[in-house]
Amino acid sequence: DMFLKQQQISWKQAYKDIDRQLKIAKNPGDFKDILDNFYNMYVSNLPDDADLHVELANYLPKCANFRSKNKIVYRKKLLTIIKRGWPGKAPNVLERQTDLVLMCFYGFIEHVAHIPKIERKKIVKDFRNMVNLHLQDRLFF
């Protein structure tokens, strides 16, 4: 229950920040910043023992259930951000890119939680650049 509560509080705050930024965003650059800010915030808020938290969140039934439901909520917000931050995408491209960014983010969480805290800032920058390059492709192959 303790790990579940921590996840719920963390994601609730993240969504509050994202929603606040969505309300004031006006142009594509503002929406791109929302995604960059989220990644930076997420990684900077990871505790020293993030690997333990991530592993438990994957295997404790309540946490795994929350994670599955949370992916749906995060995907909706991600779809909005991508649609407004990288305009002009065909609907099917938008859907595919959103799903891939979501999948990459959850894989990124698994990876970054297991590396030393000092190295996390470097890898989040690389991850943000990778996502931005991916989303710049309007046709997606």
Side-chain angles (χ1 to χ4, degrees), residues 76-115:
K76 288 179 185 177
K77 295 193 183 296
L78 191 57
L79 182 69
T80 300
I81 293 167
I82 293 171
K83 185 175 185 178
R84 302 283 306 275
W86 291 267
K89 295 180 182 300
N92 62 336
V93 171
L94 182 62
E95 293 291 327
R96 281 196 317 261
Q97 286 187 331
T98 300
D99 288 339
L100 283 171
V101 171
L102 179 69
M103 179 181 61
C104 288
F105 175 69
Y106 275 91
F108 173 70
I109 292 170
E110 297 286 333
H111 177 73
V112 79
H114 291 87
I115 62 174

Side-chain angles (χ1 to χ4, degrees), residues 27-128:
N27 58 55
D30 295 339
F31 289 92
K32 291 175 184 179
D33 288 344
I34 293 171
L35 204 54
D36 287 346
N37 292 339
F38 172 74
Y39 295 143
N40 287 333
M41 180 272 311
Y42 191 92
V43 170
S44 67
N45 288 341
L46 286 173
D48 290 335
D49 60 348
D51 54 340
L52 173 67
H53 293 257
V54 168
E55 293 301 326
L56 289 172
N58 287 334
Y59 297 107
L60 293 174
K62 287 181 182 178
C63 292
N65 187 39
F66 172 78
R67 184 177 171 137
S68 295
K69 290 178 181 178
N70 188 60
K71 281 183 180 180
I72 296 167
V73 175
Y74 181 57
R75 186 187 184 285
K76 288 179 185 177
K77 295 193 183 296
L78 191 57
L79 182 69
T80 300
I81 293 167
I82 293 171
K83 185 175 185 178
R84 302 283 306 275
W86 291 267
K89 295 180 182 300
N92 62 336
V93 171
L94 182 62
E95 293 291 327
R96 281 196 317 261
Q97 286 187 331
T98 300
D99 288 339
L100 283 171
V101 171
L102 179 69
M103 179 181 61
C104 288
F105 175 69
Y106 275 91
F108 173 70
I109 292 170
E110 297 286 333
H111 177 73
V112 79
H114 291 87
I115 62 174
K117 196 164 188 165
I118 193 90
E119 296 295 317
R120 293 176 186 169
K121 288 182 182 180
K122 294 175 188 173
I123 198 159
V124 75
K125 182 179 177 186
D126 291 340
F127 181 74
R128 286 186 358 242

Side-chain angles (χ1 to χ4, degrees), residues 1-42:
D1 287 340
M2 182 177 74
F3 287 104
L4 174 63
K5 192 70 167 170
Q6 180 192 21
Q7 278 185 307
Q8 291 170 331
I9 289 170
S10 177
W11 279 102
K12 183 178 180 180
Q13 182 60 45
Y15 291 147
K16 185 177 176 182
D17 291 345
I18 289 171
D19 290 341
R20 181 184 46 78
Q21 292 177 59
L22 282 171
K23 286 181 183 177
I24 60 173
K26 302 267 188 260
N27 58 55
D30 295 339
F31 289 92
K32 291 175 184 179
D33 288 344
I34 293 171
L35 204 54
D36 287 346
N37 292 339
F38 172 74
Y39 295 143
N40 287 333
M41 180 272 311
Y42 191 92

